Amino acid sequence: MGDPVTALRISVHQALGGGTVADVLLWKRWYASIGVLVSATTLWILFEKSGYNLLSFVANVLLLLVFILFSWAKSASLLNRPLPPLPNFEIPEEIVAKAAGVIHVYSNYALSIARQIVIDKNLKVFLQLVSGLWVASYIGSLCNFLTLVYLGVLLILSVPLAYDKYQHPIDEKLCLANKIIQAQYMKIDDAILKKIPLPSNKEKKTQ
């Protein structure tokens, strides 16, 4: 029999899909990971430190691309050269179906939260939502959206790798933190939340 701790180890690579994205996030393709990190850092410095505008950058890049393709096509027709190799500009139906499925799931989840707050008057869900929005507002006040995206890139390139290497110590700390949070919530629930009167089922039916 093996070590039970080892048996409970989660494959982070499989949890991330087990494909190219997982390889990049876990630095198995270190050249691609470095490319993502360097590109994100370059763009962040370009827009954040130099004051360059994102909309202007995108417009200029597209303008340059269109000019190059137009010039290439014109010179190719005059010199009997092949036209620029352009990919098939079509979105596969599978991608559209997957995107629609993801939007459908998250939309229903948001509507279920709204129902729990408005109709079921679930105080726990309400407090969780308020806390989450307050944290998001506080983080947004510390940095702009571009810096937040850059920090997100740094996190997705570091957190999966760190968890893959130190999974068991991190799980132990997370379990301990979860127990502390649950204990504090139970104290708040007993001291405050249970004392707040909520409408009974009969009152809901009468309404």
Side-chain angles (χ1 to χ4, degrees):
M1 294 179 65
D3 189 358
V5 177
T6 305
L8 294 176
R9 180 176 176 84
I10 299 173
S11 175
V12 180
H13 189 268
Q14 292 298 325
L16 294 174
T20 304
V21 175
D23 292 340
V24 174
L25 296 181
L26 293 176
W27 291 76
K28 295 182 181 296
R29 300 189 181 187
W30 58 269
Y31 51 89
S33 303
I34 291 177
V36 172
L37 180 60
V38 171
S39 300
T41 304
T42 303
L43 290 175
W44 181 75
I45 293 175
L46 178 65
F47 295 125
E48 184 69 17
K49 298 302 180 181
S50 66
Y52 203 70
N53 187 271
L54 178 61
L55 181 60
S56 300
F57 176 78
V58 173
N60 290 333
V61 169
L62 292 177
L63 180 62
L64 180 61
L65 179 61
V66 170
F67 178 77
I68 292 174
L69 292 177
F70 180 78
S71 302
W72 190 347
K74 281 295 184 180
S75 61
S77 61
L78 293 175
L79 301 174
N80 293 326
R81 297 289 184 179
L83 293 173
L86 294 178
N88 188 14
F89 292 106
E90 291 183 358
I91 301 177
E93 294 183 1
E94 294 80 7
I95 296 179
V96 177
K98 289 182 180 179
V102 171
I103 294 174
H104 178 262
V105 171
Y106 281 102
S107 298
N108 286 337
Y109 180 68
L111 291 174
S112 67
I113 293 178
R115 176 183 176 83
Q116 292 180 53
I117 294 175
V118 177
I119 298 178
D120 298 336
K121 298 180 176 62
N122 192 323
L123 186 60
K124 180 180 179 180
V125 175
F126 171 75
L127 293 177
Q128 290 176 345
L129 180 61
V130 170
S131 300
L133 293 176
W134 180 83
V135 171
S137 176
Y138 179 74
I139 294 175
S141 64
L142 298 177
C143 58
N144 56 29
F145 179 74
L146 185 61
T147 302
L148 190 61
V149 172
Y150 178 64
L151 292 176
V153 173
L154 295 181
L155 288 176
I156 64 175
L157 288 176
S158 58
V159 173
L161 180 63
Y163 183 74
D164 186 52
K165 288 186 175 182
Y166 309 104
Q167 184 175 143
H168 299 308
I170 291 176
D171 287 341
E172 292 176 358
K173 299 298 182 181
L174 290 177
C175 289
L176 180 60
N178 182 59
K179 291 180 181 179
I180 295 175
I181 292 173
Q182 291 293 334
Q184 295 299 321
Y185 175 78
M186 292 300 298
K187 291 180 180 179
I188 296 175
D189 188 44
D190 294 334
I192 300 175
L193 300 183
K194 287 185 178 180
K195 296 180 180 180
I196 300 177
L198 296 176
S200 62
N201 292 330
K202 292 183 179 180
E203 292 177 350
K204 291 182 181 179
K205 292 180 180 179
T206 304
Q207 294 175 356

